[in-house]
């Protein structure tokens, strides 16, 4: 990259600071829910966030469309519109009382990069499309990447019938209410054909403070973990008097504790062997209507999310987990009903794109480091569909899914600069 080009890109991105701050402030008006923000998947608040992004795209003269899943596409046309486009995207929904940067920063980064390219007077050889994705947060429908997977034609069976956690209405109903067409999603022609996409790039805040710890503003994603989930598992034992001897008990809570301990030991062993993974019991409780200080719990519920960076490792862990479940059932004399199972595939990053992003960062004088994602992202759905994918992480002190996300605008602008430089090189802008 010529020094003059580096300087021009830096200046063009710097000029977008006001646009970046303004759009983030506009998005902060959507679903403000002290503390933090609540923009449920396929809600009026999420729809309003899409409208705010669309308004920014209209100001830039981008071509805007929506698909049957109500995802939003904002396109800077290329010189040859028959060539597969580059997609830059992330989501605009949040968890309950989340922050304003998780997901949203990626949409803002894409629009800022496109605006910087326009300000340089450059036209890419192929379309650059910023995609505002629906329904990434699995907390609402218990299924990951709904907007992305709907667009790619990879929704799991039964997904359109899944109820939203807060309303009880199914996904199809919510899509229709948000301006989409759920019936079209049942067809054979997905809104996006994976083979007709050149690449998918996502900018996202980091979700553990690794970059903060290292003093580095931007991370280069090395991979996105896959997972298996049991969102509504139940252990059925028997309610007994607190004085019941151990040999007579069918203690559902102790069985739950034993499952948690077994998985924690699996996690520790893998971590010590240099095989990163994570185990989360997001819900872990007895029945509040029946439990008490002097009652042996007869029912226990939990949700389980297990994630790792290799498919064979996930399969191995699940086999171990199910073996422990069978042992605990026999030892504790309880019934364990794991309930529905969900999974997402490991998201493999394109080595070439990651290398090119690193080269762009080096040319710009921006420090980066390799960083595995601890969380799931829309980019993984594209990778699973065969689309070359990469991600940039932005330094963030306080994690995500909470009101205290702490991304600095300067760090986001560094990510935008890297993204812009890569786009200029990758699309042959002239």
């Amino acid at each position: 990259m010529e020094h003059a080009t580096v300087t021009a890109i830096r200046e063009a991105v710097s000029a977008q600071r006001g646009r970046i701050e303004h759009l983030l402030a506009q998005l902060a008006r959507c679903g403000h829910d002290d503390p933090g923000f609540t923009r449920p998947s396929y809600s009026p608040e999420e729809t309003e966030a899409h409208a705010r992004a669309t308004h920014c795209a209209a100001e830039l003269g981008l071509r805007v469309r929506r698909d049957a899943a109500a995802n939003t596409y904002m396109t800077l046309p290329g010189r040859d519109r028959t060539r597969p486009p580059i997609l830059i995207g992330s989501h605009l929904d949040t968890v309950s009382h989340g922050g304003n940067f998780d997901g949203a920063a990626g949409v803002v980064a894409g629009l800022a990069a496109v605006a910087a390219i326009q300000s340089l007077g450059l036209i890419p050889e192929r379309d650059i499309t910023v995609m505002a994705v629906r329904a990434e947060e699995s907390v609402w429908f218990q299924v990951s990447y709904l907007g992305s997977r709907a667009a790619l034609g990879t929704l799991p069976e039964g997904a359109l019938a899944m109820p939203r956690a807060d309303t009880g209405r199914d996904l199809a109903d919510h899509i229709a209410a948000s301006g989409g067409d759920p019936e079209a999603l049942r067809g054979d022609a997905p809104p996006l054909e994976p083979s007709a996409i050149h690449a998918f790039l996502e900018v996202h805040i980091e979700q553990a403070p690794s970059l903060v710890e290292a003093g580095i503003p931007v991370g280069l994603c090395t991979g996105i973990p896959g997972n298996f989930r049991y969102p509504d598992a139940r252990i059925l034992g028997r309610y007994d008097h607190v004085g019941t001897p151990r040999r007579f008990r069918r203690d559902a809570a102790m069985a739950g504790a034993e499952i948690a301990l077994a998985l924690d030991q699996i996690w520790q062993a893998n971590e010590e062997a240099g095989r990163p993974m994570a185990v989360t019991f997001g819900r872990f409780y007895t029945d509040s209507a029946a439990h008490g200080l002097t009652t042996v719990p007869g029912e226990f519920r939990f949700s389980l999310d297990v994630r790792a960076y290799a498919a064979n490792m996930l399969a191995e862990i699940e086999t171990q987990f199910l073996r422990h479940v069978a042992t605990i059932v026999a030892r504790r004399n309880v019934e364990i009903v794991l309930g529905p199972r969900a999974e997402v595939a490991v998201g493999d990053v394109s080595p070439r794109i990651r290398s090119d992003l690193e080269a762009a960062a080096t040319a710009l004088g921006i420090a980066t480091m390799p960083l595995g994602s601890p969380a799931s992202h829309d980019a993984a759905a594209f990778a699973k569909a065969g689309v070359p994918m990469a991600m940039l992480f932005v330094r963030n002190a306080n994690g995500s899914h909470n009101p205290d996300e702490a991304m600095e605008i300067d760090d986001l602008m560094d990510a935008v600069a890297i993204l812009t430089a890569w786009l200029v090189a990758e699309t042959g802008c002239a």
Side-chain angles (χ1 to χ4, degrees):
M1 193 182 301
E2 297 291 338
H3 179 71
T5 305
V6 169
T7 301
I9 288 172
R10 274 292 202 181
E11 290 176 351
V13 170
S14 180
Q16 301 308 314
R17 186 184 190 97
R19 189 186 308 276
I20 289 170
E21 293 176 333
H22 177 72
L23 183 50
L24 286 171
Q26 290 292 305
L27 293 173
R29 297 182 180 182
C30 307
H32 185 262
D33 187 20
D34 193 36
F37 306 86
T38 301
R39 295 193 287 265
S41 301
Y42 290 109
S43 67
E45 294 82 7
E46 185 196 38
T47 298
E48 176 63 18
H50 279 247
R52 302 274 183 174
T54 299
H55 181 74
C56 178
E59 289 181 334
L60 294 171
L62 305 185
R63 301 189 181 186
V64 177
R65 69 178 180 89
R66 290 183 178 83
D67 65 18
N71 296 304
T72 303
Y73 304 86
M74 299 161 281
T75 299
L76 174 65
R79 295 190 301 275
D80 183 353
R81 304 208 65 201
T82 66
R83 308 192 80 172
I86 291 174
L87 269 59
I88 309 162
S90 198
H91 61 99
L92 292 174
D93 60 331
T94 72
V95 299
S96 182
H97 298 288
N100 193 42
F101 300 140
D102 183 324
V107 177
V108 172
L111 289 169
V114 167
I117 289 172
Q118 288 179 310
S119 73
L120 291 167
L122 300 175
I123 301 175
E125 67 176 358
R126 65 179 77 237
D127 288 2
I128 300 174
T129 296
V130 180
M131 181 180 180
V133 186
R134 290 278 188 166
E136 189 266 359
E137 299 291 2
S138 59
V139 65
W140 299 108
F141 289 97
Q142 307 298 311
V143 179
S144 298
Y145 321 141
L146 282 170
S148 296
R149 292 163 89 176
L152 294 162
T154 58
L155 276 178
E157 175 128 11
L160 288 170
M162 291 295 291
R164 203 171 83 181
D166 57 341
T167 67
R169 290 163 43 212
D170 65 29
L171 175 61
D173 188 19
H174 277 281
I175 290 175
S178 300
D181 182 357
E183 290 309 309
L185 297 175
R186 302 181 198 274
D188 296 329
L192 292 176
E193 174 52 54
S195 63
I197 302 171
H198 181 73
F200 182 87
L201 273 288
E202 183 168 2
V203 176
H204 205 283
I205 58 172
E206 66 169 335
Q207 293 173 289
S210 301
L211 295 169
V212 173
E213 180 181 63
I216 291 175
V218 179
L220 302 169
C221 183
T222 58
I224 300 172
N227 66 48
F228 66 83
R229 289 173 167 174
Y230 292 94
D232 190 21
R234 301 170 67 206
I235 304 175
L236 303 175
R238 185 179 64 213
Y239 288 99
D240 274 317
H241 186 276
V242 70
T244 303
R246 190 176 191 276
R247 67 184 181 278
F248 298 124
R249 291 191 182 209
R250 298 174 58 194
D251 190 327
M254 291 295 283
E258 196 168 348
I259 287 174
L261 179 60
L263 275 167
D264 190 53
Q265 290 170 340
I266 291 170
W267 186 2
Q268 183 176 2
N270 277 291
E271 191 171 85
E272 290 173 352
R275 288 157 39 107
M277 60 169 288
V279 174
T280 302
F281 289 88
R283 292 186 291 274
F284 199 70
Y285 60 96
T286 54
D287 182 356
S288 62
H291 67 197
L293 178 64
T294 58
T295 301
V296 175
E299 182 174 1
F300 193 85
R301 290 177 177 263
F302 66 89
S303 66
L304 175 64
D305 178 300
V306 177
R307 53 190 55 202
Y309 292 90
N312 60 346
M313 183 174 168
L314 279 170
E316 175 189 326
I317 295 167
E318 187 165 17
T319 298
Q320 291 176 295
F321 163 65
L322 295 174
R323 191 180 300 129
H324 280 293
V325 165
T327 300
I328 292 165
V329 164
R331 181 165 55 241
R332 296 280 178 184
N333 194 22
V334 297
E335 179 184 1
I336 298 178
V337 182
L338 292 175
R341 179 188 180 279
E343 66 177 359
V344 296
V346 172
D348 294 319
V349 170
S350 162
R352 180 190 70 80
I353 298 176
R354 179 185 156 198
S355 177
D356 289 347
L357 288 168
E358 184 176 15
T362 299
L364 290 160
I366 299 171
T368 63
M369 62 179 271
L371 185 62
S373 172
S376 303
H377 300 283
D378 288 303
F382 283 85
K384 172 64 175 175
V387 178
M389 173 275 287
M391 289 188 70
L392 294 171
F393 291 115
V394 181
R395 179 166 47 189
N396 167 46
N398 297 325
S400 69
H401 289 191
N402 69 70
D404 299 319
E405 294 170 359
M407 179 192 74
E408 298 291 337
I409 298 299
D410 284 346
D411 293 339
L412 179 60
M413 292 182 70
D414 278 343
V416 172
I418 295 169
L419 177 61
T420 303
W422 179 82
L423 287 168
V424 168
E426 185 73 9
T427 64
C429 282

